[in-house]
Amino acid sequence: MVSITVPPEYGWVILGAGIAPVITSMYLSGFVMKARKEFDVQYPNLYAVPKYHKNADEFNRVQRGHQNYLEGSDSYAIMTLLGGLKHPITCAVGSVCFCIGSVLYMKGYSDTNLDVKMARYKKGAAIKWIGFFSSLICTCSLGISLIREGF
């Protein structure tokens, strides 16, 4: 039988995977709410419609920055909670990278002075992937350890 012991540092993982992403999402949501008012994009429209909304591209870049975060945050949190059982400090530090990188992604992507193809990474958003891949590798490490112990 395989058993898992929760390490004493796991509280940092809970803060990094359970609390920090919620705060990050609320912070990023603020950009979208501000852009909705500024560019007059009303609900229920998730995105602005080109040729209908005057500043569709500007609004959509803000919305897309937040949407990108939402698309990856659930899998990130799951990997962090799992990988943190074996590597809690690595996953906790990775959470900081992921959340800050997500904010920097939004800042870059919403900057219309930058080319849309590379805008998201022009302001340091690549650190997001350090956090993401740290948790992915830590989760793989946990899984391999559990498989090896089971045989």
Side-chain angles (χ1 to χ4, degrees):
M1 171 172 263
V2 177
S3 65
I4 296 175
T5 303
V6 177
E9 301 88 358
Y10 196 74
W12 293 109
V13 175
I14 292 171
L15 293 175
I19 304 302
V22 172
I23 293 169
T24 303
S25 184
M26 290 184 338
Y27 181 71
L28 295 176
S29 294
F31 286 99
V32 177
M33 287 185 275
K34 181 181 174 193
R36 278 194 181 283
K37 288 180 184 176
E38 183 179 343
F39 301 124
D40 193 32
V41 177
Q42 303 300 314
Y43 288 109
N45 295 316
L46 183 60
Y47 288 98
V49 178
K51 296 187 176 112
Y52 179 78
H53 293 100
K54 180 180 174 186
N55 299 96
D57 189 50
E58 290 87 344
F59 174 79
N60 288 342
R61 286 176 73 155
V62 173
Q63 175 67 2
R64 186 69 202 116
H66 185 235
Q67 187 67 31
N68 176 271
Y69 171 76
L70 294 174
E71 290 167 357
S73 62
D74 57 344
S75 58
Y76 176 76
I78 292 166
M79 289 187 305
T80 302
L81 290 169
L82 291 170
L85 289 167
K86 185 170 181 185
H87 305 283
I89 301 302
T90 301
C91 285
V93 171
S95 293
V96 173
C97 292
F98 183 78
C99 291
I100 290 173
S102 295
V103 171
L104 295 175
Y105 183 101
M106 162 74 88
K107 298 259 187 194
Y109 204 71
S110 63
D111 187 342
T112 56
N113 294 319
L114 299 173
D115 176 53
V116 72
K117 291 179 183 173
M118 288 304 293
R120 52 193 165 238
Y121 296 111
K122 290 286 186 182
K123 296 195 176 186
I127 68 166
K128 171 183 177 175
W129 297 109
I130 293 171
F132 189 88
F133 287 115
S134 294
S135 289
L136 177 66
I137 291 166
C138 289
T139 303
C140 289
S141 173
L142 174 67
I144 291 166
S145 294
L146 291 174
I147 290 168
R148 287 183 177 163
E149 289 179 27
F151 289 107

